[in-house]
Amino acid sequence: MIKLKKKIPLIDQHDKNGFWGGKFGGNFIPETLKKPVEDLSILFERLRYNKSFIKQRDYHFKNYIGSPTSFIKLQKLSNHLGGAQIYAKMVSEANGGAHKIYNATVHCLIAKKAGKKYVVGDTGAGYAGKMLSMAAKRFGLKCKIFMGAKDIKRQKPNVDAMKKNGANVVPVYSGSQTLVDAVSECMRYWVSNCDNTHMCVGSTVGPNIFVKICGWSTAQISRELKFQIQSEFKKIPKKVKLINCVGGGSSAYGFWSEFIDYEKKQIELIGVEAGGPRSSKLHAAPLTNGAKLGILHGAAAYVCQNSEGQINETDSISAGLDYPGVSPIHCFLKDTKRARYTSATDEHALDAYKLVTKLEKINPSLEPSHAFAEAIKIAPKLGKNTIIIVNSCGDAKKDRDILKARLGNNK
Amino acid sequence: MSLINLAFKKAKNKKRPALLTYTVAGDSSKKKSLEILKSIAKYADICEIGFPHNTPIADGGQIQSSAYRALKNGIKIKDVFSIVRDFKRSATPKPIILMGYYNMIYQYGDNNFINICKKSGVDGLIVVDLPYPENKDFAKKCKKKNISFIQLVSPTTSLIRMKKIIMDSHDMVYYISMLSTTGGKLKVSPEKILKKYNKIKSLNKNKNIVIGFGITEKTIASLRKADGLVVGSALCKEISKSVENRQNPVTNVTNIVKRLRKKIL
């Protein structure tokens, strides 16, 4: 039986081989990457306890990213559903429009410290890529972004933004032409260029150190939230549900990290994966659907795969969640039963988007719309003393074309 | 003496490096990949066969294309083993090294996989994403069944690490010539590669060190001082070309291997 430890950040609860719960994570990497991964690990462990580095990080979080993002009550949505009180953490207010800016900024700060001139990253919805291109520009690094050809088409606004920031966007035509292939291609690029290039993995996935850096960066969200909850309610309420969408799982980890030590009865953590189109068997919900443990992109985690170990194709209306794997940290939270994982279909996410944007003046992207779908589903069954908080972790500007095609003039 | 060691010894006696080929099982079809193996075995000393994975993180375009083609043809692990068995029963069998990614072995179960390797006649294993020291247990299990686990060493491997890897290695060690995925253009001079190679060799003269990545008809002669040389992407590329031009890949790939062999005589 694997257990969570208290008072130790979850990102540090791995063993000496990099495994959480003895089996999730690790470093399944080619020999060539052993040294750069080790160098990065040593550098990060030094920097994260270095006062001047922390100061630098906090300065950029505040003055560049715009921390803290606001915490608001969705009064009309709460009234409409007539149950739990629904709040949103508006992480989409962060510079660039999503949580990916935290990880991107930290990676660029690290790349500078490492003396690297180039930074390379993967992207699905385009946010990780857009933010990396923004941060790279700010810190004077040359940037290359790998993106699946299918995603380039469906998330054009973000592609335009990357190009405007001077990034070289490389389309990936292999496999399903989505995030999974972009990550593979990015790793391959790093294998060939690790001497002068820093790699930024866009979520809490990949070899151990990338999970840690990303989690350490997005944890800012829950540090702000904890403070905001305390000032709103005077103390942490008795019944709280923190709902977050989960693709790789970076925003969910960032949203939850300060609250993991609380009892589940007080603060429930709910992760919502992409259930895919209602009429299709394809999905991107390895945790919800009981996918088997496997190795993907350098880490052991639950992965959508066939019996031979070939990675399954996934499908989701949300490019940011359209990934067959998930963070080892979320596998650990699932198996220790600290978090509960479920999924929402494309249609549920669209319905949620429609309802939320009809009632409230917010514009969540398709990723957090999955989280809103779960909130909408459970809120009516809950009492008024239950506080639901949804991480509205991305802005829907990038989804312009999809929303127009799917909702037309109904919206 | 293992068949792999024997192959190196034979080549050494003839004062040439061993020639190792790499092709993907099931490319361009199950039948053709077996025919290719049987045919190139006349000129190769050791044959590496890839078991294709659809999320390869260290392969370049040529090998990816081969792997995707094989998977599209429906190749399964059991087919890979049956190709090995048939090859081992052929008139001119050579030592066989299976090469692939760990997830496929993991799904099969380490012991199960190694047992079937043994039964099918596999002589060695390369697992691209199971580095040292994480591979120690797996390597031990292989050794118990007299299967060589092949450790990799790269230009980024430190001397301390290299010493440990060599000490724990079996018959053969694979030196990755440069920072690259498979099939990259040789971006380091052969002199530099051989310098590093000699350093590795000096740690233990009894180990067979092969050089791979970036080796083609153009570059092979310049590295002939090594114990062995691996050619992979150049062969996969030829299969792609043959398929495109509706030619027989067996003849075309064999011709390349024949020419490669001539260059290291």
Side-chain angles (χ1 to χ4, degrees), chain B residues 9-240:
Chain B
K9 210 177 159 193
K10 272 187 191 164
K12 214 157 278 172
N13 287 341
K14 288 178 188 150
K15 296 201 165 57
R16 63 168 179 85
L19 178 61
L20 290 84
T21 56
Y22 171 94
T23 48
V24 174
D27 185 30
S28 57
S29 68
K30 194 181 153 186
K31 197 168 146 240
K32 282 274 184 246
S33 67
L34 176 62
E35 281 176 33
I36 290 171
L37 274 178
K38 284 181 180 169
S39 174
I40 60 180
K42 282 175 240 156
Y43 310 100
D45 298 292
I46 296 171
C47 295
E48 290 181 11
I49 310 176
F51 48 102
H53 186 43
N54 68 357
T55 318
I57 55 170
D59 282 310
Q62 305 300 347
I63 292 180
Q64 278 183 55
S65 298
S66 281
Y68 290 137
R69 200 157 42 224
L71 289 169
K72 218 175 154 192
N73 290 335
I75 194 93
K76 296 267 165 36
I77 273 285
K78 66 172 180 8
D79 303 319
V80 178
F81 287 122
S82 93
I83 289 171
V84 174
R85 268 196 304 273
D86 287 350
F87 174 63
K88 282 290 193 166
R89 284 187 203 127
S90 67
T92 51
K94 289 285 158 76
I96 280 277
I97 294 173
L98 279 193
M99 180 166 178
Y101 290 85
Y102 187 56
N103 193 40
M104 296 183 67
I105 298 171
Y106 185 73
Q107 297 311 321
Y108 222 82
D110 287 0
N111 293 329
N112 221 350
F113 191 87
I114 294 168
N115 283 338
I116 297 176
C117 280
K118 185 73 210 167
K119 269 187 211 153
S120 317
V122 170
D123 299 281
L125 267 173
I126 300 177
V127 189
V128 181
D129 56 349
L130 193 63
Y132 186 86
E134 280 89 345
N135 61 31
K136 269 173 136 177
D137 282 348
F138 187 79
K140 262 185 212 155
K141 286 179 192 169
C142 289
K143 192 155 196 182
K144 254 189 201 157
K145 296 276 174 186
N146 290 322
I147 293 171
S148 281
F149 184 84
I150 289 133
Q151 298 282 0
L152 295 127
V153 171
S154 96
T156 56
T157 311
S158 68
L159 187 63
I160 303 172
R161 183 173 160 78
M162 209 184 280
K163 279 180 184 164
K164 286 186 197 160
I165 292 176
I166 302 289
M167 200 154 65
D168 280 349
S169 67
H170 301 163
D171 301 337
M172 169 179 150
V173 173
Y174 192 124
Y175 177 58
I176 298 166
S177 65
M178 56 180 171
L179 299 185
S180 173
T181 52
T182 52
K185 203 172 168 226
L186 203 60
K187 58 182 180 183
V188 183
S189 73
E191 294 76 36
K192 268 196 182 151
I193 295 171
L194 284 171
K195 210 174 148 192
K196 189 85 182 238
Y197 165 87
N198 286 327
K199 206 178 223 172
I200 304 167
K201 191 74 188 166
S202 71
L203 295 174
N204 185 340
K205 294 224 158 27
N206 296 324
K207 301 283 182 186
N208 300 297
I209 317 284
V210 305
I211 302 175
F213 285 41
I215 297 180
T216 60
E217 286 184 65
K218 267 187 193 151
T219 57
I220 194 163
S222 61
L223 295 164
R224 63 183 303 281
K225 279 185 188 140
D227 293 335
L229 297 164
V230 191
V231 183
S233 293
L235 306 184
C236 293
K237 189 176 167 185
E238 188 61 33
I239 298 176
S240 293

Side-chain angles (χ1 to χ4, degrees), chain A residues 24-39:
Chain A
F24 304 118
N27 290 293
F28 296 89
I29 48 175
E31 173 63 23
T32 304
L33 292 184
K34 266 278 181 183
K35 177 80 167 44
V37 161
E38 193 188 294
D39 288 349

